[in-house]
Every structure is written in structure tokens, then in C-alpha cells.
Amino acid sequence: MSLSVYLVKGFRRGKGDTTVSGFFSKSSTIGISLGVAVLILALSVINGFEVALKERLLSVIPHIEYYAPAKPLDNFASHQEKLLSHPEAVAVAPYIKLNAMVSHKGKMHGVLLKGVEPQLDATVSDSAKYISPKSSVNLEKGELILGKALANKLQLEIGDTVSVLLPEPGTQSLASIKRINLSLVGTINLGGQLDMNFGQIALSQAQQLKNVSNTQFDGLQVKIRDVFNVRNSALAIGQKLDELVYIETWYRSQGNLYQDIQMVRLIVYITVFLIVAVASFNIVSTLIMEVKEKSASIAILKTMGATDGTIVRCFLLQGIHQAAIGLGIGLILGIILSLTVSDIYLLISELLGKNVLSGVYFIDYLPSQLNVNDLLITTVITFTMAIIACIYPAVKASKTDPAKILGH
């Protein structure tokens, strides 16, 4: 066992809990533990929201839409072949969009009706997972699927007849309207505001309402491999088309959610690391006080032949040991909280009888995704700050003058 390690053990045994340095030592250890635990928990929740965004929201809404503003597109097979020739494109489906009002029992609400071919739509969207009952996924003429929140607002039940008001083809004004009756065959529960304006009908029904042929459609929706590289992929894939089209990506319509997640991640890193930094630099106060308390022992050690390097290593190891205890407790506590926070939130919601996330975000639960990289980064930065904090008091201890101390 090296002399420095032996001395650290002796100093630790000799430090009373009632001394000032002992109090500051425990305070800094607790501060590091809480800071590390909060950081891991916060990052895990942010990671959970990012995973939920990708696996739920971005699995339902189109990654890219190419919309023809001048005239409808035709010959889907040809366009599909062109787009799929790009390595980033996974699947392609046609669609028609119609602005409409849905009415039931005197209540009305605006909705964006999308006409889709169910089999093709299933290749670009996982919306079928959230539709109930499952038999309604195969839409036919005269049938309608609405968001669950919208159906509840209009007091609709499965099988009810819904009045749909649309502008006459070629106009965007409801001054001249067409009224049709559709049967509600299913609802979709996506969460948040998406449910309030979601409407889906068969592509053939939409073609009839828009007075176009059964081979024409408004645009193409594309699923890509890397959803977070959509801004680069959208332009590259769109260049495969010969027609003039507008490009709409999920980043433009829902990118604010992703940006908010990244901004919160940055704020959490800065805020909590400042807390950990303050706790780490409390080690400075602890060690300086200990240098004063142990000045006589340090002087005796130097008269017995202990080198400055030995004294420096002794106090560095003592500070690192203190930080390691705080880091270890913080890691264990943070991991436990990260793995259980979803269940804890569910339990609290049940006790309060209210879910604050329901109807606000695209999910109604608190997600958590523990990332090993976050644990490694937290460990490295905490240890780095602890080492930096230990340098000054360790060097100060090595400068102790035995003659001045022992001469009194």
C-alpha cells in the first residue's frame, strides 16, 4: 500500500463528524450525489421524449410530403418508382387533402380530411396501430375515421352518421358548400392536438369529392430511413420528380417539439452541471479546512521525510475519494429513479386523479430512456471537476513549513 493511500485512510479515520471540515465534507458529498442523480434523471426523461417523438409521433405523420399546387399528379406507379430509386426513401403513398367541417348534434369543428389508400398508407405510417376498432383500418367509400378527442367533443359513437361540409371543387370558400354524410367507423388516439383535426377517408372517396379521375391525387407522402436528416433528404429525393411540387417535412410542422427537447437538454446540462460544479468546489473549502486542522501532522510527516509529491497525492486522493462516494451514490440513485419514474408518475396521476400530460403533449405518460453515454459523460465531468477542485488545497498543503508550525 502506498504511503499516500495509507495517509488518506488515517486522515479519514481521524476526521470527526462534529468538526467543521467533516460537516463540509458531507455537504459536498450530498451535493454531488443529488446533482448527479438529478442530471441522470432529467437526461433520461429528455431521452424518453425524443424516443417517443421518433417512435410514436414521427411513425404516424408523414416524414415528407410532395404537394402539386398547379394540377393533380397522375400515374402513381411511375412516381413511386422514381422516388424509391433514392436510397433514403423507404416507402411512398398517394394522398388527397380536403379542408372540411364535421357536424353532429349541432356541434361543428374544422378538420383536415386526408384521402388515403389503406394498404399503401400503412407502408408510410403506423397510424393503424392507434385506430380502434382495428377492422376500420380498411376504409371504404362512405366511411370516416376521426381523432378520438374530436369524436368525444362532437359526442360521436362508432356507427354514427357525420355530416361533412366541404367547399365546392375548385374553390376554397365555404360560401358554396357541398354536404355529404359519412359513417364513423373508427377513431384514432394519437394524443395532444393531433386528435382534434385528424380525419381520414378512402382515397376513392376523396377523388370523387374533388372531381378528379381515379388515377389522380394531390401529392405523395414518403417515409425515409433517417428521420432526423429529413431536411437534406427531402430535397434530394424530390429532385427525382419531374413535376413542380411543394415540399413539406415533419420538421417544418412538428420540428418545434424536437427543438424544444434539444433546448431543454442543453439547459439541463448547463444548470445541473453548475450545481455539480458548486458541490465539487465545496471540496476546496473542506480540504483547506482540513489542511489547517492537520497542519501539525503534515509538518511532522515532512520532518520524517515525506516529499511534497506525497502530500499533494494524499490530499488529491482524499478529494477524489470524497467525490467518488458522492458520484457513486448519485449514479445509483439516478439509475433507480430513471428506471422507475414512469411508474412513479403513473402512481401520482392516479392518486391525484389527473394526468397533466393528457391532451397537451403527443403522449399521456412520462417516458424515460436511460443512456449509458449520459452515465459516462456525467462520471468523466464530475471527476474532472473534482480533480481541478483538489489541486489548490493539495498544493497548499505541500507548502506547509514544518519549522513555522512546530516552532509554536
Side-chain angles (χ1 to χ4, degrees):
M1 181 186 296
S2 69
L3 178 59
S4 298
V5 175
Y6 179 79
L7 291 174
V8 169
K9 288 188 173 183
F11 284 163
R12 297 294 296 180
R13 284 195 299 269
K15 186 188 296 184
D17 292 340
T18 58
T19 63
V20 176
S21 63
F23 171 76
F24 274 95
S25 174
K26 287 179 172 55
S27 297
S28 58
T29 301
I30 293 171
I32 292 173
S33 300
L34 292 178
V36 169
V38 170
L39 178 60
I40 293 172
L41 174 60
L43 291 177
S44 296
V45 171
I46 292 170
N47 292 337
F49 270 102
E50 188 170 316
V51 171
L53 174 70
K54 182 177 180 180
E55 293 184 353
R56 180 158 184 171
L57 184 63
L58 298 186
S59 69
V60 172
I61 65 173
H63 297 167
I64 307 172
E65 289 184 353
Y66 298 106
Y67 175 75
K71 61 180 181 179
L73 298 174
D74 206 338
N75 193 352
F76 168 71
S78 174
H79 295 304
Q80 182 185 40
E81 183 180 357
K82 291 175 184 177
L83 294 177
L84 290 180
S85 65
H86 193 282
E88 272 296 303
V90 175
V92 183
Y95 70 88
I96 288 179
K97 284 184 179 179
L98 298 165
N99 291 312
M101 297 284 290
V102 289
S103 173
H104 184 254
K105 292 184 178 179
K107 296 183 178 182
M108 300 182 68
H109 196 278
V111 67
L112 182 63
L113 286 181
K114 179 180 279 190
V116 298
E117 181 63 43
Q119 287 73 27
L120 291 172
D121 188 66
T123 64
V124 297
S125 171
D126 291 336
S127 59
K129 292 181 180 179
Y130 307 100
I131 293 176
S132 178
K134 297 299 181 183
S135 58
S136 63
V137 171
N138 297 317
L139 275 169
E140 297 180 0
K141 277 189 177 182
E143 296 180 342
L144 170 69
I145 294 175
L146 290 177
K148 187 174 181 61
L150 178 55
N152 291 339
K153 182 178 180 180
L154 298 178
Q155 298 179 349
L156 284 165
E157 300 288 342
I158 301 298
D160 285 349
T161 299
V162 184
S163 294
V164 180
L165 287 71
L166 306 103
E168 287 289 346
T171 69
Q172 294 297 321
S173 173
L174 285 174
S176 176
I177 63 171
K178 173 189 294 187
R179 179 190 293 268
I180 62 169
N181 291 325
L182 300 176
S183 175
L184 182 69
V185 295
T187 59
I188 184 167
N189 187 13
L190 299 176
Q193 293 302 310
L194 287 176
D195 280 356
M196 288 302 296
N197 60 6
F198 182 95
Q200 199 171 80
I201 59 176
L203 181 64
S204 57
Q205 178 92 62
Q207 289 167 334
Q208 181 181 335
L209 293 173
K210 205 157 187 178
N211 282 347
V212 297
S213 72
N214 59 6
T215 61
Q216 293 180 317
F217 46 91
D218 286 343
L220 298 155
Q221 46 192 8
V222 180
K223 181 179 181 179
I224 62 173
R225 300 183 192 282
D226 185 0
V227 294
F228 295 119
N229 191 38
V230 68
R231 287 181 290 182
N232 294 327
S233 300
L235 183 59
I237 297 172
Q239 288 175 344
K240 299 289 185 178
L241 296 173
D242 299 324
E243 291 80 357
L244 173 67
V245 292
Y246 288 153
I247 301 176
E248 179 78 19
T249 68
W250 74 263
Y251 199 86
R252 185 173 177 181
S253 61
Q254 305 292 334
N256 60 312
L257 287 172
Y258 180 70
Q259 291 170 340
D260 288 347
I261 291 172
Q262 302 310 312
M263 182 182 68
V264 171
R265 184 194 301 274
L266 178 61
I267 292 173
V268 166
Y269 263 121
I270 294 173
T271 304
V272 182
F273 272 132
L274 285 175
I275 295 173
V276 175
V278 170
S280 296
F281 279 91
N282 279 341
I283 297 174
V284 176
S285 304
T286 303
L287 293 183
I288 287 178
M289 290 180 184
E290 189 155 353
V291 168
K292 290 185 178 181
E293 290 176 1
K294 304 291 185 184
S295 57
S297 299
I298 296 169
I300 293 172
L301 286 170
K302 295 191 77 170
T303 59
M304 293 175 64
T307 64
D308 289 349
T310 299
I311 302 300
V312 168
R313 286 193 296 274
C314 172
F315 281 91
L316 278 176
L317 287 172
Q318 190 161 337
I320 291 172
H321 178 262
Q322 187 176 320
I325 293 174
L327 177 63
I329 295 172
L331 286 173
I332 294 171
L333 184 60
I335 291 171
I336 292 173
L337 288 173
S338 298
L339 296 176
T340 59
V341 67
S342 298
D343 295 329
I344 293 172
Y345 176 80
L346 182 60
L347 178 61
I348 293 173
S349 297
E350 289 178 352
L351 291 175
L352 296 177
K354 182 180 180 181
N355 187 340
V356 296
L357 294 177
S358 181
V360 178
Y361 295 99
F362 56 93
I363 53 177
D364 57 2
Y365 61 94
L366 191 64
S368 179
Q369 179 74 29
L370 189 62
N371 193 325
V372 176
N373 289 335
D374 291 334
L375 300 180
L376 293 176
I377 292 172
T378 301
T379 300
V380 170
I381 293 181
T382 302
F383 262 120
T384 300
M385 289 191 293
I387 292 171
I388 293 173
C390 294
I391 291 175
Y392 172 73
V395 172
K396 184 176 177 64
S398 70
K399 301 299 182 184
T400 299
D401 187 352
K404 188 177 292 186
I405 299 296
L406 299 178
H408 290 287

